[in-house]
Amino acid sequence: MQLDVRKCRSPNLTIRMVSTRLPGLEKEDLKVLRYKETEDIDARFSEVERTVTAWRQVLPNANAVARTEFNNRLRISLIHHDAALEGEVLSYSEIKAAVDPSIISDPSLIPSYEEIRRFDDACNFAAEQAANKKKPFKLDTIRELYSILAPEEKAKGLPFRKENPLHRLYYHDIAAPEKILPAMRKLGEWIDEPWAKESGRTIRIASNQLLQEGGYPIAIIHSIDRQRYYEALRGDHIALTSLYLEAVQTTAETELRVYEEAQKAPPKRRSKKSITG
């Protein structure tokens, strides 16, 4: 297993983030993280907690420009890698055009852009819900996320699927139709894919909402871990937990590095024109 952490250039700072090769993102200083499949999960929890504690301490005083830039790039990376898990390849420019309101999109690409925008909207909803401590996470939260991702299903009442799909990219175990309703009543079993489409994406966004509610950075499952991710869904919870621990730690370490580099960067000099008005 490998995780890539690559540098992304912006006019004001350098951002290290989880990414594959995308237009506009340069491949520099490739860092590879390797973890044993038979790792001590308790030790990994402690290691990740130390990293996240440092991340929490730095966050309140982080450079505002660097933080905004990082979060924007992180969202694009999340959309790219989540699409890859679903078997779809999206370029940096495609994602940027879809989520940036200042960019005028090609009308012929609007259908694909709408799908990206729905994903972005669902992530925004999850972040807002995570920040709202008075609104607990429950089954209705998952249904609301799903309705954002699949508005055409919302019009139908968000029905659970009635059959097992025959053609799938990965044959991980999913719940039989007759077991969906009781399974969804137990939030511990909500990864069993209740809907016919967008269910995996819904759960991954919901998982990040739970991480944010707990004061953790979001997890991005890297495209190169696609097979490992689907295999983890077939096994016990340890493999999936390990994958998410790595992803959370990578996000925290990357963001910490961004703020360190932003702090070292010399302040921008104001031009004579701006000084004189």
Side-chain angles (χ1 to χ4, degrees), residues 33-80:
L33 305 178
R34 298 178 183 273
Y35 295 106
K36 297 179 180 178
E37 296 297 333
T38 57
E39 65 184 336
D40 183 338
I41 200 68
D42 291 332
R44 287 288 293 121
F45 266 115
S46 298
E47 180 184 344
V48 172
E49 194 61 41
R50 285 193 295 270
T51 302
V52 172
T53 297
W55 172 80
R56 290 175 183 145
Q57 292 172 346
V58 169
L59 210 57
N61 300 315
N63 180 287
V65 175
R67 188 172 182 182
T68 299
E69 181 71 15
F70 175 81
N71 286 333
N72 290 340
R73 291 278 181 165
L74 189 69
R75 176 62 62 80
I76 290 176
S77 182
L78 174 62
I79 295 172
H80 169 80

Side-chain angles (χ1 to χ4, degrees), residues 90-262:
L90 297 175
S91 69
Y92 171 84
S93 58
E94 285 176 316
I95 300 171
K96 180 69 173 175
V99 301
D100 191 336
S102 66
I103 298 177
I104 300 176
S105 302
D106 182 346
S108 66
L109 300 176
I110 286 179
S112 61
Y113 284 177
E114 284 301 317
E115 183 177 342
I116 297 172
R117 285 173 182 155
R118 288 197 296 267
F119 184 96
D120 190 49
D121 289 343
C123 289
N124 289 334
F125 172 82
E128 291 169 3
Q129 293 297 300
N132 187 352
K133 303 301 181 183
K134 296 181 180 179
K135 199 163 186 178
F137 185 99
K138 52 186 179 180
L139 177 57
D140 286 344
T141 307
I142 300 175
R143 293 176 65 86
E144 184 64 30
L145 284 172
Y146 182 72
S147 69
I148 296 172
L149 292 169
E152 69 281 3
E153 295 299 311
K154 182 178 181 180
K156 302 175 185 177
L158 303 178
F160 293 147
R161 56 179 168 79
K162 299 295 190 294
E163 57 186 21
N164 285 328
L166 297 177
H167 302 288
R168 292 184 284 133
L169 293 174
Y170 285 88
Y171 287 90
H172 52 288
D173 295 336
I174 61 176
E178 65 274 11
K179 294 183 178 179
I180 289 176
L181 187 57
M184 286 298 290
R185 288 172 179 164
K186 300 176 183 178
L187 287 181
E189 298 173 9
W190 40 273
I191 202 159
D192 287 331
E193 294 199 336
W195 290 290
K197 61 180 181 178
E198 301 289 8
S199 53
R201 182 163 286 169
T202 300
I203 294 306
R204 288 190 292 273
I205 295 176
S207 298
N208 275 333
Q209 180 178 333
L210 288 172
L211 285 171
Q212 290 173 297
E213 284 184 359
Y216 291 86
I218 66 169
I220 298 179
I221 306 302
H222 200 285
S223 57
I224 63 174
D225 285 324
R226 185 184 183 199
Q227 182 171 352
R228 181 186 173 202
Y229 168 73
Y230 284 107
E231 288 177 351
L233 296 181
R234 300 184 63 181
D236 58 30
H237 70 282
I238 297 298
L240 192 61
T241 299
S242 176
L243 189 57
Y244 266 82
L245 284 172
E246 293 171 19
V248 166
Q249 184 174 16
T250 298
T251 301
E253 289 177 340
T254 302
E255 192 166 0
L256 283 171
R257 184 177 179 86
V258 167
Y259 300 148
E260 290 174 3
E261 294 181 350

